[in-house]
Amino acid sequence: DELRHENEVLRSALQEAAKETQYLTQTLTTVTNTLRDEEAAHALALRQGQDALAASRRDYEARLDELQQQVNETREMMKKERDAHLQRMQAREGEHLAALQAERQHANARLDNVSNETQEAVRILQEQVEDMYRQLEDEKRATKEANAKVVEA
């Protein structure tokens, strides 16, 4: 009788342990699936962020190219205008020479100002692109660290 009773107690404890094991297995499976889903969502968000950054970078680079083209066109246009004006002025009497030189200096200063302003705009846009790229790298690193912590947990 005692052995039967002990056997029943052990069987009951074994059944409870089996139920607990099944519960823990189900919980572990649920947690594992949740972690996989979260990791996939983080990976998707990271890819989308990288794609957006690449698109922004292409847009900024295209804008930089446009600005450089505008600078080149402006320089060429101003050079042509300056040369044409100079030829007209040189055809006139010598008393206009001093005025011509002053206008030429002013045109060069304007060209330099336009060039300097455009170069500054290009520099600012490049810094913004670099800052965005650094932010994406920081987010990527943070996501990896968070994923590592979730996996450790």
Side-chain angles (χ1 to χ4, degrees):
D1 277 343
E2 259 182 66
L3 286 175
R4 234 184 244 144
H5 178 67
E6 255 184 67
N7 201 9
E8 286 180 31
V9 168
L10 288 174
R11 189 175 303 137
S12 176
L14 188 58
Q15 287 175 347
E16 284 298 315
K19 287 179 185 177
E20 184 68 22
T21 301
Q22 183 180 7
Y23 171 76
L24 291 175
T25 302
Q26 288 173 346
T27 302
L28 180 59
T29 300
T30 301
V31 168
T32 301
N33 290 340
T34 301
L35 289 175
R36 283 185 187 142
D37 292 346
E38 287 179 4
E39 184 177 4
H42 285 298
L44 177 62
L46 181 60
R47 280 192 306 273
Q48 289 172 341
Q50 288 171 332
D51 291 346
L53 179 62
S56 292
R57 182 177 218 133
R58 285 189 302 272
D59 290 346
Y60 280 118
E61 288 172 353
R63 182 65 178 137
L64 290 175
D65 290 343
E66 287 175 21
L67 290 172
Q68 189 60 49
Q69 182 64 30
Q70 288 174 2
V71 167
N72 293 342
E73 289 171 1
T74 302
R75 281 183 180 160
E76 187 62 30
M77 181 186 67
M78 291 185 79
K79 183 178 184 263
K80 288 178 182 179
E81 287 176 8
R82 184 181 61 221
D83 291 346
H85 186 66
L86 179 60
Q87 288 174 0
R88 285 190 305 273
M89 292 303 288
Q90 286 175 341
R92 295 184 185 189
E93 300 174 356
E95 63 189 64
H96 296 287
L97 183 58
L100 172 63
Q101 289 172 343
E103 286 180 29
R104 184 174 184 175
Q105 288 174 351
H106 179 70
N108 284 336
R110 281 191 331 197
L111 179 60
D112 288 344
N113 285 341
V114 169
S115 177
N116 290 340
E117 290 171 4
T118 302
Q119 288 174 356
E120 180 63 18
V122 166
R123 183 192 63 77
I124 289 170
L125 287 173
Q126 286 173 332
E127 287 177 0
Q128 290 173 348
V129 167
E130 291 170 5
D131 287 344
M132 289 178 67
Y133 189 76
R134 278 192 292 274
Q135 288 174 353
L136 180 62
E137 289 299 319
D138 290 344
E139 290 175 12
K140 183 178 176 182
R141 187 173 40 261
T143 299
K144 283 184 180 178
E145 290 172 3
N147 285 341
K149 288 180 182 177
V150 168
V151 169
E152 286 178 11

